[in-house]
Amino acid sequence: MKIRKNKSQVLAAAMAGISERSGRRIESAVTLPSQNQRRQWRSRADPFADVWDSEVVPLLQRAPKLMAITVLRKLQDDHPDGFPDGVLRTLQRRIRQWRAVAGPAKEVFFPQEHAPGHRGLSDFTAMGELRITIGNVPFAHILYHFVLAFSHWEHAEVVDSGESFEALSKGLQNALWQAGGAPQEHRTDSLSAAFKNLAEEEDFTARYTALLAHYGMAGTRNNRGLSHENGSVESPNRYLKEAIEQALLLRGHRDFIDRLAYEDFVREVVMRRNRRNAAAFRIEREQLRNLPTRRSTDFVEEEARVTRCGTFTVRAILYSAPSRLIGHRLKVRLYSDRLDCYLSGAPVLTLPRGTRVPGTGRGHKLDYRHFIDGLKRKPQAFKGLAFRDALFPRQAYRRMWEQLDLKLTQRQACQTIVALLEMAARDGVEGILAQRLEALLLAGELPDVKRLREEFAPSKVELPQVTIEIPAASVYDLLLPSAHADEREEVAA
């Protein structure tokens, strides 16, 4: 109507986004559209009038979460040809109206105001949907995520060992030291690394209690199964993964050279997000508690004996060790990402931490380099080796073994794969040799060990010819003081 004061009927209607006919009707009406009485009568018969009170309402009272499509399918089964699919939208409106009037009460969410420096939250979030690869190999991992509730300052770390206490301790301490202080309260969900979830009282684990006491924080958690009570970190989980996804799209691919490159990538995304909250973080940082003079331990000590098979077990995961350690009992410091092994107080071995296989509760983290010397002496032991499949460093070696086992005798197949693994153990050869094996597999050929050894043999360096001329012994007499006595007498004269 405002446009109609200066414009024609056709132009005013077009600018208002309505038809010319609607414009004429509105202009000629005595009242405005908003003042007209809303229609309360039905324009057609209710298709559910005969079954609503007798069948639909009892179903909803018994199971209030039933979807309209489920109820419609039930009615179609009980009354063939009585309820076509076209009445679904009508049924959805009727059920929605019934729930608002006579349905069960809904949960109420109470918005919270967070004081600066009061609460920090920790959580782990899965990253499988991002399809990250390292060296073209899928990288199974999760993220540890810490958020300060007031400023939304956050810290994230890549974890590939599961939701362990070591990962929680390392991630939390790194976050606190990077933030420059500790909040009054630390909140998580029901992490088994922090809580005895089977206990009804005093459910903090001793290690988690000691960690909180070291930084002067009180520990809390949300009710079991109610993740939305940790909304201050659950929501940032989603937004952080979206930010990483967008950064990957800009990058153009999802493959990284190594884990350090991927960790740097995630750190850069987090720092970019923190810049937006810099002003709020400066306010919160002043309210954080002072940090202690040192960090708490972020490892757990275990003991393990190296068996005659060259393996040892820590927390249901089988690791390998050099054969010289067979029979010795190692002191193992278990970190979130590695194992440091000590013998009589001296460090002897560092290994990446392994993860358990879903559904079995066990896992393997074996280094084929530890078994090469033994397999060279007993190559046919490779055929029936209990942990044979865990020794292949890449898929190309596994697939080549399948072809060797299929086309050669046991002796020839075992000797060939052991020779390939021996070549792969040299520095910088494993990846290049894997590419060569992939090419052979595509061509349907088997490897020629002799030719590959010559190709990947260490290059011979030609040493320069050095000619040494030995001076006569009389030349050294010139270095003696007596050899210069005559010269000093002449100068004096």
Side-chain angles (χ1 to χ4, degrees):
M1 297 300 290
K2 186 183 298 184
I3 300 172
R4 181 69 179 91
K5 294 178 181 179
N6 303 315
K7 305 294 182 182
S8 66
Q9 180 72 69
V10 176
L11 185 58
M15 294 179 68
I18 60 177
S19 67
E20 182 183 354
R21 180 180 178 183
S22 297
R24 288 197 303 268
R25 177 175 53 79
I26 293 173
E27 188 174 354
S28 62
V30 178
T31 60
L32 295 174
S34 60
Q35 295 175 328
N36 294 334
Q37 186 177 3
R38 192 170 183 179
R39 176 173 60 84
Q40 301 294 336
W41 63 91
R42 290 184 176 276
S43 60
R44 61 176 180 173
D46 182 6
F48 300 100
D50 297 334
V51 298
W52 180 258
D53 292 328
S54 60
E55 298 184 33
V56 177
V57 171
L59 284 175
L60 295 176
Q61 289 175 339
R62 186 169 65 251
K65 293 184 179 180
L66 278 176
M67 297 176 62
I69 185 64
T70 306
V71 176
L72 180 60
R73 295 289 180 260
K74 173 74 168 128
L75 293 176
Q76 289 174 339
D77 292 341
D78 295 343
H79 306 275
D81 301 328
F83 298 95
D85 290 343
V87 299
L88 174 61
R89 187 69 187 96
T90 301
L91 181 59
Q92 290 173 336
R93 286 193 296 265
R94 292 289 304 273
I95 291 178
R96 186 173 185 272
Q97 180 70 16
W98 177 86
R99 284 174 175 157
V101 176
K106 295 182 179 180
E107 184 176 3
V108 180
F109 292 83
F110 300 97
Q112 302 290 303
E113 292 184 358
H114 300 287
H118 175 69
R119 176 176 290 179
L121 303 98
S122 291
D123 194 20
F124 291 93
T125 182
M127 298 292 286
E129 61 192 41
L130 296 186
R131 306 185 305 280
I132 302 298
T133 60
I134 294 180
N136 294 319
V137 177
F139 180 45
H141 68 291
I142 58 178
L143 275 189
Y144 166 80
H145 196 191
F146 175 85
V147 178
L148 290 174
F150 173 78
S151 64
H152 301 293
W153 180 91
E154 57 189 346
H155 174 80
E157 291 199 7
V158 178
V159 178
D160 60 355
S161 59
E163 300 181 9
S164 62
F165 171 78
E166 296 76 33
L168 173 64
S169 176
K170 177 185 175 182
L172 176 58
Q173 294 192 77
N174 287 345
L176 297 180
W177 285 85
Q178 185 175 342
Q184 300 174 20
E185 176 187 299
H186 179 242
R187 187 176 182 86
T188 70
D189 56 12
S190 300
L191 295 175
S192 59
F195 298 96
K196 301 175 183 177
N197 290 314
L198 298 180
E200 295 296 332
E201 298 179 357
E202 301 295 335
D203 57 349
F204 283 4
T205 63
R207 293 180 298 176
Y208 183 59
T209 301
L211 178 62
L212 293 177
H214 185 74
Y215 288 95
M217 296 186 296
T220 62
R221 72 170 177 184
N222 59 304
N223 292 312
R224 297 171 186 172
L226 300 178
S227 60
H228 64 264
E229 294 184 356
N230 258 11
S232 294
V233 68
E234 293 287 349
S235 181
N237 280 348
R238 176 167 59 89
Y239 291 126
L240 175 59
K241 287 195 285 188
E242 287 180 356
I244 295 175
E245 169 72 12
Q246 293 298 309
L248 289 169
L249 293 174
L250 284 176
R251 188 170 180 263
H253 62 92
R254 301 168 185 267
D255 187 60
F256 294 85
I257 298 176
D258 52 26
R259 175 172 171 164
L260 291 178
Y262 175 54
E263 290 178 341
D264 291 341
F265 175 81
V266 173
R267 190 178 301 113
E268 183 178 348
V269 173
V270 173
M271 291 175 62
R272 191 181 304 117
R273 287 170 53 82
N274 282 337
R275 293 191 194 106
R276 298 181 305 172
N277 305 316
F281 177 62
R282 284 193 292 268
I283 297 174
E284 183 158 32
R285 191 169 190 174
E286 296 178 357
Q287 304 301 322
L288 296 176
R289 297 175 180 271
N290 293 330
L291 293 172
T293 56
R294 59 176 179 81
R295 291 170 59 110
S296 178
T297 56
D298 52 4
F299 63 85
V300 177
E301 284 195 344
E302 304 273 353
E303 284 193 355
R305 182 177 178 275
V306 182
T307 68
R308 62 181 182 178
C309 300
T311 60
F312 62 95
T313 302
V314 176
R315 294 195 176 181
I317 298 178
L318 190 68
Y319 296 91
S320 61
S323 59
R324 62 179 179 274
L325 296 176
I326 289 177
H328 291 282
R329 184 171 293 276
L330 303 178
K331 180 77 72 174
V332 181
R333 287 186 176 180
L334 194 65
Y335 293 86
S336 63
D337 58 346
R338 71 183 192 278
L339 276 68
D340 288 346
C341 303
Y342 295 83
L343 180 62
S344 301
V348 293
L349 183 63
T350 296
L351 298 171
R353 182 168 176 170
T355 56
R356 299 183 182 183
V357 179
T360 64
R362 302 187 64 83
H364 300 85
K365 194 64 176 180
L366 304 176
D367 188 344
Y368 67 98
R369 297 174 181 84
H370 294 155
F371 302 97
I372 290 298
D373 291 338
L375 288 173
K376 286 172 61 178
R377 292 190 292 270
K378 305 174 183 178
Q380 293 191 69
F382 187 86
K383 170 73 174 181
L385 189 59
F387 46 78
R388 179 193 64 207
D389 292 341
L391 293 185
F392 298 111
R394 298 174 187 246
Q395 287 297 325
Y397 295 89
R398 182 193 307 274
R399 293 172 55 204
M400 181 55 72
W401 161 251
E402 293 173 354
Q403 294 300 313
L404 292 172
D405 189 34
L406 183 64
K407 299 179 180 180
L408 300 180
T409 64
Q410 176 178 331
R411 182 182 184 86
Q412 292 173 330
C414 292
Q415 289 178 341
T416 302
I417 193 63
V418 170
L420 293 175
L421 292 176
E422 182 186 9
M423 284 185 279
R426 299 171 187 164
D427 292 338
V429 175
E430 180 183 300
I432 302 174
L433 181 56
Q435 295 177 1
R436 179 59 55 84
L437 295 180
E438 288 284 3
L440 292 173
L441 288 169
L442 289 175
E445 301 177 2
L446 297 181
D448 186 335
V449 174
K450 183 178 180 181
R451 182 180 301 175
L452 289 175
R453 278 176 175 165
E454 294 175 353
E455 180 179 351
F456 291 102
S459 57
K460 296 181 180 179
V461 179
E462 294 185 2
L463 299 177
Q465 295 292 333
V466 179
T467 303
I468 301 177
E469 296 182 359
I470 301 177
S474 58
V475 175
Y476 294 98
D477 294 340
L478 298 176
L479 300 176
L480 299 174
S482 59
H484 302 280
D486 296 340
E487 295 180 0
R488 288 197 295 271
E489 292 178 355
E490 293 178 359
V491 173

